[in-house]
Amino acid sequence: MLNLSIKEVSLALREGRISATELCQKCLNHIKKTVYLNAYITVTEELAMKQAQAAESRLRRGKPRGPLDGIPFSVKDNFCTENIETTCASQMLKGYIPPFNATVVQKLLDQGAVLLGKTNLDEFAMGSGSTDGVFGPVRNPWSYSSQYREQSDQDPESDWVITGGSSGGSAAAVASQSSFFALGSDTGGSTRNPGSLCGVVALKPSYGLLSRHGLIPLVNSMDVPGIFTRSVYDAATVLGILQGCDERDSTTVPTSNPVPNLPEDIDLRKIRVGIPKEYHAPGLSQETLSQWGRVADLFEKAGAQVQEVSLPHTQHSIVCYHVLCCCEVASNMARFDGLEYGHRSGVDSSTEAMYATTRHEGFNDVVRRRILSGNYFLLKQNYQRYFVKAQQVRRLISQDFAQVFRSGVDLLLTPTTLGDAARYCDFIQEDNRTRSAQEDIFTQSVNMAGLPAVSMPTALSRRGLPIGLQLIGKTFQDWNLLTVAHWMEQRLNFPPARFLRDASEVDVLGHQRKQTTGL
Amino acid sequence: MLLHISKYIITRHLKRAPNIYHSNISFRRIWTSCQRCQIQPQMKTKRHVSPEMVGVVGLEIHAQIHSTTKLFSSSQVKFSAPPNSLVSFFDASLPGTLPVLNRRCVEAAVMTGLALNCTINKKSLFDRKHYFYADMPAGYQITQQRLPIAVDGTLTYSHLGGKKRNQVVTKTVRIKQIQLEQDSGKSLHDDYRSQTLIDLNRAGVGLMEVVMEPDMSCGEEAASAVRELQLILQALGTCLGNMSEGQLRVDANVSVHRPGEPLGVRTEVKNINSARYLARAIDYEIQRQMEIVQAGGTVLNETRAYDQKSGNTVPMRDKEGLQDYRFMPEPNLPPLLLYDSENVPEGLDPTQVVLIDRLRAELPELPGIKRARLVETYGILPEHSFILVNEDGLVDYFESVVKETKAEPRKVIGWVMQELLGALNQQNLRVSQSPVSPSALAELVNLLEAGRISSSAAKLIFQELWKSPGKSAEQIVVELDLGLVNDREKLLRICQTVVDTHPEQVRAIRSGNKRVLNKLIGEVQKRTKGRADPALVRSILEEQTS
């Protein structure tokens, strides 16, 4: 039951094949069984059961609120949830309980969806591994799939792979089948990257389509709430509910069109698919490259026009992103001073000393470095050279996309990541900044331009791990994007993960996990 | 509802500054300070300061926007509410909250810009200005540094000059820009317990920062410009303008130089909470700088605070040393776009956008126009028009009286300036608190015009009206028997008595000292309680003493 899509489980709920409380209980049990993944920071068991009961009584009366009524989901721990601790995986916000729900969370709750808990991430969403949070790294559920284990002869405790990030907890929750869908956030690839490495559908909607109110910001001008599901159809269902203007977020735009249905079959002959040549980047794995080629062929065979396109400024995206991100981080993090909320240092010799130690204790190295860099870039004498220049480059990157789309291309097909998931022990050899620069290479420029993109689970690598490809659409053409993604999904036959259900092994892993966190 | 703020924010009422309610008080005191300003050059020569040095004054004025809610949140705006009772999640900078621009504040800024002859920017932008301060919880202020809502305006103001200080001198100061920005909260330092109490009620209230170019030269000019701005804001209703409640806060940039030479190093004088102190602070600062320069010293570029007790400016403890505000565009607010009715883009609801031309059409009568109209319509003196406009409600009062009486407006203005204002000032009352209503005064003036009472009786009746507001002038005339006595027979008898009892004076008159007649007239008025027809009395007495 837990491996069903939203569409399927929603039908099961309506037909009474399972009750909402049973379903919720199953998910909660599964979270406990997979606690070693470290996907969740907070599990709201009691509240979830209450919500499930309410959904159950609606379903029993035959009056569900919609397709999500009674469906268990989870939310990245950088979305505010009323009366539920929201930490951003940071010492700074440990114990912080927001008094309001993020708009996207509220919309899901209003639909009767059942919130299971808050998922793990890199501190303040700064990272691409979900390894740099105060609650420890998230493990990719595929580490414990028979597909991966059959290829590996090492101890599962030493060769588990990362989820990618920063929304790794949400990706793991959906991939490990403890949540039917999950919210992430995507600033430079934070939804698509872990979606790709965990083999789930990961949608980054157009900037302005979904409200950011209640999403604790990383880069306001690039952040969007992301959606993790097991199918494109499900992603469309969730998008349909979440999209729309929010008076509390002035950057949202009105969506007048009613939510369309995804057609089962489309005529691809009218579609032009661009293959950006700059995405043949150094470090791109052979396997990913060949999957990219395979899917391009798939489109071509179906009658689509597939052509090479150029996005010449993409190469500058990483450094440009670095400057803009640091600047906004420096600004956004200024509010964490220990006065109104969050961590406060015991040092109280002066207000300034209190600020300094609070911020030193509250933020990890990654956050502090970005704050320092950002403040440097924003200094009066540097502003033109860094911030303004980066904004200009951002515009060029944006124009690259606009030009390609203007030439008649409907969407772009690219890899999502360089390769499949890295082993944790390999991943942590490099520092966060280098890793982010490497990992976000295919995803970042999309955020610069505010475009919609979706990472699609495509195939398994020789290591038995997921490889994802990304479709990039025109701005606010999210539905066209999903239409093509849906078509693509039907033809990929991405294999489901076969998790080792051997209770003893899971127990062993869980036990080991407890020991390590106990330190 | 809130918050974990309570950790630091301890509920405790902030002490209110002693209240100077009446705009008229501060206004009158401006003139006091003007006199100082005039005296200054003499002081300078006495101290051998080069006479051709002049002060240069620019102003930055923060005007709190009069609106029911804050600039970017829906919390209420109210003075002296219990601490931290008007704080939304956004005001407390809870993570994940976003600014939502208050249209009323935009309209206020546009109206103010139009009233100050500014160019309204159809596109303006918001920026973040960063600094750590406990009463600014986000660590930055949202302001309009790069592209403000209004630029390049002028403010024409006047003050009384000349030897008798009764000539109206008119000057103009350029307005560099008007920008929308957030107010900060308030910190209260409790040195005894070494803690800081923070009240966020004011945090996020909308401000219009009006930047005036350094076109002024002394405290008097600055105070007059501020007063004029205050009147304009009040006429527009965009700011209540009460300086003592912090609704209008003025920082002065002051420097000195010799005309033709580059401007001197400037200081910024802060902490000025009344027009009176503004003039004093600026004049003190000009004098101080002149003395430094004269003595061969250098003026430091610093922020100084005005100390009300000593009347001096003193260096402010430099908050954080050299400040770099690390300005950055506010990413959560799209550009602020304004339109004229005819070019609202399709798809936009005209009721949901700010229309410049519509606001222009709705502008009320501004003080300058009002004064000109008063002089033109009623033939009153320009200085009287100033006083009328300066006193809140006085123009309406005056015009109501004029409407209800046949007397010439010039006579009415005398009553309003002398009797009414005199009595109001004596008791520190506002015009709206006057016990004598406009119609009561009109009735009184009508009685005088009709020759039914003497002018001295009229003054007496005014006093009575003041004491017992319910009564009418007519009633008092009857009750106190104050009607004009023009019964010739009766007056003849009284005059005869006076003549008979003042033989010496009569002798003096007869020997040619005609002025003594006034003494006898006074005696007659005394016996008639001042209600005898003075012309009649004079002619009778002249006859009787000839």
Side-chain angles (χ1 to χ4, degrees), chain B residues 112-113 116 118 144 148-150 175 177-180 208-210:
Chain B
T112 305
L116 296 177
C118 290
Q144 294 195 298
I149 189 160
I175 308 289
Q177 64 186 55
I178 300 173
Q179 62 198 51
L180 279 166
M208 295 177 282
E209 181 177 335
V210 180

Side-chain angles (χ1 to χ4, degrees), chain B residues 383-417:
Chain B
E383 59 259 40
H384 286 158
S385 75
F386 262 84
I387 297 171
L388 281 182
V389 171
N390 272 330
E391 300 291 336
D392 192 22
L394 197 56
V395 172
D396 287 345
Y397 191 107
F398 167 72
E399 293 197 294
S400 307
V401 178
V402 168
K403 220 175 275 171
E404 292 184 42
T405 160
K406 285 164 213 102
E408 264 188 66
R410 265 199 281 193
K411 285 186 183 162
V412 175
I413 198 78
W415 278 92
V416 168
M417 292 291 138

Side-chain angles (χ1 to χ4, degrees), chain A residues 80 96 99-100 212-216 220 247-251 327-328 331-332 334-335 339-342 344 355 359 375 378-380 383 387, chain B residues 4-5 7-8 89 92-100 128 130 132-134 137-140 198 200 324 326-329 331-334:
Chain A
C80 292
Y96 172 65
F100 67 98
R212 291 179 295 116
H213 171 254
L215 167 60
I216 297 177
N220 297 284
E247 60 176 22
R248 280 163 298 189
D249 177 358
S250 310
T251 61
C327 290
E328 285 206 33
S331 177
N332 288 333
R335 69 188 58 212
L339 284 187
E340 279 81 13
Y341 44 79
R344 183 194 287 187
Y355 284 159
R359 290 166 68 76
N375 279 326
L378 287 176
L379 285 178
K380 208 173 176 184
Y383 185 74
F387 188 83
Chain B
H4 318 270
I5 297 189
K7 274 200 249 171
Y8 229 64
F89 301 148
S93 79
L94 294 199
T97 53
L98 299 167
V100 179
R128 291 180 179 182
H130 299 89
F132 282 108
Y133 211 70
Y140 56 81
I198 298 162
L200 293 180
D324 189 318
R326 289 160 286 129
F327 283 101
M328 185 190 94
N332 294 318
L333 290 168

